Amino acid sequence: MSRRDRDTEGRARNARPRDGLGRPLPYGTDGVERQPEGIARTPSQTLAEAQQLLDDGKPFHAHEVFEDAWKTTDGPDQELWRGLAQLAVGLTHAARGNAVGAAALLERGAANIEPFRAEPPHGVDVAGLQEWARSLADEAKQRVRVSPTPPRLKC
């Protein structure tokens, strides 16, 4: 039986290095530094840090910043942060070439930020993000080739 990687608190946590899109690399490989987890940030700090990570082509890392906000926030903004985390994961899937996963997460994230559309908190362009996410989801769906009828298994 192999030993699982553990973090400092003893929880199971994969210690393999990661690439810029969060994919595991072989042990001993130089990877991209992980985003620290469990950091309490103000909403403006969360948005600024996540935006910088997105600008740097690291949507997986931006998702982790949004996830910290989601998990440390009580109240109505919690769903905003969850939706933004889902949008970042959707973008991660798109960058990795997973069109199905990208479309699903982009649509889910866009739906989860819908309640904030009328009165967007923290200056978040909810309507613009939803338009972008749905457009990217539609584009991803077009890249997926789906056969309209199942293949014949027998002649």
Side-chain angles (χ1 to χ4, degrees):
M1 185 174 202
S2 66
R3 292 182 50 146
R4 295 180 73 182
D5 296 331
R6 302 275 177 190
D7 65 12
T8 57
E9 280 109 35
R11 292 182 302 238
R13 179 172 167 90
N14 192 317
R16 287 172 54 186
R18 304 278 174 155
D19 71 6
L21 294 175
R23 293 176 289 217
L25 298 169
Y27 287 104
T29 304
D30 288 333
V32 173
E33 188 174 335
R34 290 184 178 204
Q35 209 47 39
E37 294 180 36
I39 296 181
R41 300 171 183 89
T42 66
S44 61
Q45 289 170 330
T46 296
L47 291 167
E49 189 170 338
Q51 184 65 64
Q52 185 60 57
L53 290 164
L54 291 168
D55 291 346
D56 292 344
K58 297 178 180 175
F60 179 81
H61 295 80
H63 134 266
E64 291 180 331
V65 171
F66 287 133
E67 192 173 72
D68 277 346
W70 164 28
K71 291 182 176 181
T72 60
T73 300
D74 290 328
D77 283 357
Q78 189 173 40
E79 287 303 303
L80 173 73
W81 301 123
R82 183 173 85 141
L84 293 175
Q86 289 168 328
L87 293 177
V89 172
L91 187 55
T92 301
H93 283 296
R96 290 176 175 177
N98 177 1
V100 173
L105 268 296
L106 290 165
E107 288 173 341
R108 192 176 309 147
N112 282 330
I113 63 174
E114 177 64 34
F116 303 95
R117 189 178 177 107
E119 295 180 35
H122 316 296
V124 174
D125 180 8
V126 172
L129 283 171
Q130 287 180 304
E131 182 179 322
W132 163 82
R134 289 178 176 139
S135 175
L136 188 57
D138 288 344
E139 185 180 316
K141 286 179 190 176
Q142 291 174 10
R143 283 190 241 143
V144 178
R145 295 184 185 174
V146 179
S147 175
T149 56
R152 295 180 60 95
L153 299 177
K154 292 185 176 183
C155 297

